[in-house]
Amino acid sequence: MKVKIVGGPSSTKLAELISLQGNLPIVRVGYKRFPDGEFYFRFEEDIEGQDLLIVQSLYPPSDAHILELLMMIHGAKDLKAGSIGLFIPYLAYSRQDQRYLSGETISSAMLADLIQATGASYLYTVDIHDKAVLHRYRIPAFNLTASKELALYFERKGLRDPIIIAPDDEEDARERARVAAETIKGEYDCLTKRRDRQTGEIRTLEKRLRVSGRDAIIIDDIISTGGTAANAVRILKKQGARRVFVGATHALLIGNALELLKEAGADEVVGTDSVPGDVAKVTTANLILKALEEHRWL
Ligand code: R5P
């Protein structure tokens, strides 16, 4: 039996694309917000015994999108769906994967508990900030990467001697850069970043990179305030990079992040449809379809 796609309010277009590309039926749903802000959700067809894939990315307002997701899972479970798969391209709260300061709530663990308690069967996400978060799940939980797709997008720009740059040297960041570099048969390198846990202030250490006269592509999982990527763009420009592109799986672009990046000298900022918007030029639809097929959920 084919998985049926449920488009959550945050990801309706992506759900439609998955349905179209995968030739998978889409479930009719209805939802609204009451005047007091409470959410209402209804499956408008019988889902008993059906295998579902709920598509709902948790970009800001994350807390509202989480509640919507939980209501969809709860409804599906209550109405006796066969299995309840989740595609959550942006899994919010994945940066708090441990207690950095005493007394903190480990928010990624809280979210995992809620998703499982409500009745999800399995979960796919994309470029999760820290893969360790997935160990919080007792249901099958997988991370996909959009690095290849982002790299292919930039490759179409006719790159000159390209180099991929990770804006920090954490293992996951390096791995994303490595995949992107392999895709365009280029090199990769990384910068080193320090974040003050109390103030949130970011400092990128200046390191000599071989970027002079070359096109550089910064690959990151998230652009939030834009501070991390803007620091990297400035360093690359200062060291003589010809063009600097920024590709992020989750371009949240909070506040004036996009202007900050442009002012720093970024030639283009590109994200995926994990976060809908003007810069979402790369889709994650093919990633989930391939994964569903590989894991035989289709
Ligand atoms: C953190 O280490 C992530 O990989 C991103 O680099 C970070 O979340 C981006 O945040 P911002 O845009 O606020 O610097």
Side-chain angles (χ1 to χ4, degrees):
M1 190 170 53
K2 276 189 171 180
V3 164
K4 286 191 165 182
I5 306 297
V6 179
S10 71
S11 300
T12 44
K13 276 209 176 126
L14 173 57
E16 277 163 21
L17 195 60
I18 294 168
S19 153
L20 200 72
Q21 286 190 3
N23 193 23
L24 299 169
I26 201 145
V27 175
R28 275 181 289 109
V29 298
Y31 49 81
K32 64 180 176 189
R33 289 250 166 216
F34 289 108
D36 62 0
E38 286 185 357
F39 184 60
Y40 166 93
F41 183 84
R42 176 174 175 236
F43 287 99
E44 293 182 337
E45 60 187 82
D46 186 10
I47 54 159
E48 187 172 342
Q50 301 288 333
D51 293 325
L52 305 179
L53 180 77
I54 297 176
V55 183
Q56 170 88 342
S57 198
L58 302 180
Y59 57 85
S62 299
D63 296 355
H65 288 149
I66 288 169
L67 201 277
E68 291 163 1
L69 172 70
L70 295 175
M71 275 180 71
M72 289 186 281
I73 304 171
H74 194 279
K77 182 81 182 168
D78 203 25
L79 292 162
K80 302 188 172 40
S83 61
I84 306 168
L86 307 180
F87 181 41
I88 309 178
Y90 178 59
L91 189 60
Y93 288 108
S94 293
R95 281 178 286 182
Q96 180 86 42
D97 54 303
Q98 52 182 287
R99 225 183 300 284
Y100 295 103
L101 301 175
S102 63
E104 286 179 344
T105 290
I106 304 172
S107 45
S108 59
M110 172 217 60
L111 186 56
D113 285 349
L114 288 173
I115 285 174
Q116 290 175 136
T118 322
S121 313
Y122 61 89
L123 155 77
Y124 287 90
T125 186
V126 184
D127 288 323
I128 189 166
H129 178 67
D130 187 343
K131 288 199 206 80
V133 166
L134 296 179
H135 299 313
R136 302 272 177 191
Y137 288 82
R138 294 178 304 280
I139 55 172
F142 307 96
N143 182 53
L144 311 173
T145 182
S147 282
K148 188 173 171 188
E149 278 66 21
L150 287 167
L152 288 172
Y153 174 87
F154 291 117
E155 192 178 41
R156 290 195 285 274
K157 308 227 154 246
L159 300 171
R160 183 197 288 175
D161 197 9
I163 179 162
I164 305 284
I165 304 291
D168 71 59
D169 59 2
E170 282 173 7
E171 197 188 327
D172 288 339
R174 274 177 181 276
E175 175 60 11
R176 286 189 289 271
R178 191 195 61 73
V179 170
E182 195 178 275
T183 306
I184 57 168
K185 297 180 181 53
E187 290 182 306
Y188 73 98
D189 205 337
C190 61
L191 287 159
T192 302
K193 183 177 91 173
R194 299 273 180 270
R195 187 186 286 270
D196 185 312
R197 288 271 161 216
Q198 302 282 356
T199 64
E201 199 191 319
I202 295 157
R203 200 163 55 88
T204 307
L205 310 182
E206 274 220 33
K207 165 185 169 188
R208 202 72 216 156
L209 297 159
R210 301 195 311 133
V211 293
S212 183
R214 302 171 73 178
D215 285 334
I217 305 163
I218 297 164
I219 292 287
D220 207 358
D221 55 343
I222 305 169
I223 302 173
S224 179
T225 64
T228 303
N231 283 355
V233 172
R234 270 190 292 272
I235 291 172
L236 296 172
K237 280 282 177 186
K238 200 170 140 194
Q239 295 190 14
R242 177 176 171 251
R243 291 185 292 178
V244 179
F245 299 108
V246 182
T249 309
H250 315 292
L252 305 178
L253 297 173
I254 305 301
N256 64 348
L258 193 55
E259 290 84 73
L260 198 74
L261 288 163
K262 293 271 154 114
E263 276 165 27
D267 288 88
E268 189 178 352
V269 178
V270 169
T272 75
D273 52 7
S274 155
V275 184
D278 294 345
V279 307
K281 298 191 178 137
V282 170
T283 185
T284 56
N286 43 338
L287 297 181
I288 182 66
L289 285 167
K290 198 163 156 248
L292 289 174
E293 201 158 342
E294 267 172 24
H295 291 131
R296 298 180 194 280
W297 298 111
L298 283 189

